Amino acid sequence: RQAKAGDDAVRAYVPAMGQMFKRRFELVTQFRHALDSGQVTVHYQPKVALPSREVVGVEALVRWRHPEYGPLDPDEFVPAVEATGLVDALTGFVMECSLVRVRQWLDRGLRLSAAVNLSVRNLADETFPDRVADALRRHDVPPRLLTFELTESGVMADPERSLPVLRRLHALGVVLAVDDFGTGYSSLAYLRQLPVDEVKIDKSFVLGMGTDLGDMAVVRSIVELGHSLGLTVVAEGVEDDAAREQLVGMGCDIAQGYLISRPLAEDRFEAWLRARTIRARGRHDEMVLTL
Ligand code: C2E
Ligand code: MG
Ligand code: MG
Ligand code: MG
């Protein structure tokens, strides 16, 4: 064996890897307890119609307040959880929380949908659509008010298994959205084959739009492509008025981003919503407008 200068780097690297695996392992083993003990919560981020600014729904985003590591973002634990069977419990938890909210809003005359992010594993699980149907029945929520967001890589990982699951979800009447569109191997041909209703433009393009003509061109073509396929087009990562105006000009249907609101804990989201709810003239329902 030849000892070379690179060994120093290796010596530093190996313990760092060990730490990473240790933490991943820890998080996965603690996740079940975290779910059961209230450390895991759901934050809600509004989605608004363009150009009306009417709130049409929310995206449900998971958060974990870890007793030792503090608040963890999904990117720090979702991939680890997704690699295990625990992702069923995660998705189930987020779906239950979301349906409770949607039901409560309906009871107040507000028709808002909730979007739940799915993992590859959910799409490979042929029992998943039955559990969704059961949850919708239990909460007495119309299927159109539940959206599932899936990534292209999630679907493409195993199309033979995911397509039947997607078709059954679609047949239930829930809305299916392709998330982070533009980052994977997106193609028109591929989008046409999926039973989807909505496409969400990845925030990297929306964030870059103001300074990068290439990003602007990507956003514009996704809006056009989406509309030519009869899909609703959502832009995520809308952080300023300039981006909003550009999206309105392109005919984008829905915006989500810090300009409207960050994802908020349940009580803070409810306060945000109440401050914006108005009773529309001539309608029985109420509506929520962001001004
Ligand atoms: P995503 O589904 O693409 O969610 C959008 C992410 O963009 C969220 O990050 C949100 O906080 C962030 N975002 C929204 N508006 C803006 C903006 O204007 N500017 C910027 N810079 N960022 C914005 P978050 O909450 O950290 O979630 C990250 C990812 O974790 C999500 O990406 C999703 O893939 C995954 N995730 C979150 N919750 C769940 C869940 O319950 N289940 C699963 N399987 N994955 C989840
Ligand atoms: Mg999403
Ligand atoms: Mg996204
Ligand atoms: Mg993402």
Side-chain angles (χ1 to χ4, degrees):
R1 186 180 170 278
Q2 297 180 322
K4 288 273 175 290
D7 278 9
D8 278 349
V10 171
R11 264 191 289 274
Y13 185 63
V14 168
M17 291 280 287
Q19 282 301 311
M20 208 178 82
F21 284 118
K22 178 168 168 277
R23 171 128 163 194
R24 246 180 105 102
F25 179 77
E26 244 178 6
L27 291 180
V28 167
T29 52
Q30 295 166 346
F31 188 72
R32 178 78 251 179
H33 171 70
L35 266 184
D36 296 338
S37 64
Q39 293 170 22
V40 177
T41 61
V42 178
H43 283 205
Y44 300 92
Q45 186 178 36
K47 293 161 82 174
V48 303
L50 295 176
S52 76
R53 298 174 196 259
E54 182 178 357
V55 180
V56 291
V58 298
E59 178 170 6
L61 295 157
V62 71
R63 297 290 182 266
W64 182 354
R65 187 166 288 280
H66 192 280
E68 186 182 343
Y69 302 131
L72 297 179
D73 276 339
D75 294 329
E76 297 174 72
F77 65 92
V78 170
V81 170
E82 277 179 335
T84 73
L86 277 172
V87 73
D88 290 348
L90 167 63
T91 304
F93 175 78
V94 176
M95 177 169 68
E96 290 292 322
C97 294
S98 300
L99 291 176
V100 168
R101 306 265 34 99
V102 171
R103 183 65 252 169
Q104 289 196 358
W105 295 326
L106 280 173
D107 291 342
R108 282 167 23 207
L110 284 176
R111 213 180 151 75
L112 303 182
S113 75
V116 173
N117 291 283
L118 291 189
S119 293
V120 199
R121 279 204 182 228
N122 302 129
L123 296 177
D125 173 3
E126 67 270 4
T127 68
F128 183 66
D130 290 333
R131 281 185 282 139
V132 172
D134 174 62
L136 288 166
R137 260 193 308 273
R138 274 188 290 108
H139 293 280
D140 190 22
V141 165
R144 289 313 280 177
L145 295 184
L146 180 63
T147 298
F148 286 119
E149 300 191 0
L150 33 124
T151 57
E152 306 167 71
S153 51
V155 178
M156 293 321 277
D158 193 353
E160 303 234 328
R161 289 187 79 166
S162 54
L163 272 176
V165 173
L166 285 182
R167 291 203 187 94
R168 286 188 50 216
L169 288 172
H170 207 236
L172 290 177
V174 300
V175 177
L176 297 181
V178 180
D179 205 353
D180 303 345
F181 192 76
T183 54
Y185 300 96
S186 341
S187 76
L188 194 147
Y190 149 84
L191 252 196
R192 278 186 54 200
Q193 284 164 18
L194 295 180
V196 295
D197 314 277
E198 182 178 297
V199 49
K200 294 189 82 175
I201 309 171
D202 189 70
K203 60 176 177 286
S204 60
F205 304 111
V206 179
L207 291 170
M209 219 171 31
T211 50
D212 187 322
L213 287 175
D215 285 341
M216 169 91 95
V218 170
V219 172
R220 191 185 301 282
S221 23
I222 297 175
V223 174
E224 281 165 16
L225 163 68
H227 285 167
S228 70
L229 295 173
L231 306 176
T232 301
V233 182
V234 181
E236 59 176 32
V238 182
E239 291 193 353
D240 51 44
D241 270 313
R244 183 189 177 280
E245 291 313 312
Q246 283 171 323
L247 290 163
V248 167
M250 293 174 190
C252 182
D253 306 292
I254 293 173
Q256 176 184 345
Y258 296 170
L259 172 68
I260 300 115
S261 170
R262 289 188 175 254
L264 300 172
E266 185 179 302
D267 53 339
R268 294 192 58 204
F269 181 76
E270 288 302 329
W272 185 94
L273 205 55
R274 281 176 198 281
R276 287 163 183 80
T277 304
I278 59 166
R279 186 170 287 279
R281 195 195 295 272
R283 284 181 27 161
H284 288 296
D285 286 359
E286 303 198 319
M287 68 193 294
V288 185
L289 275 180
T290 55
L291 300 170

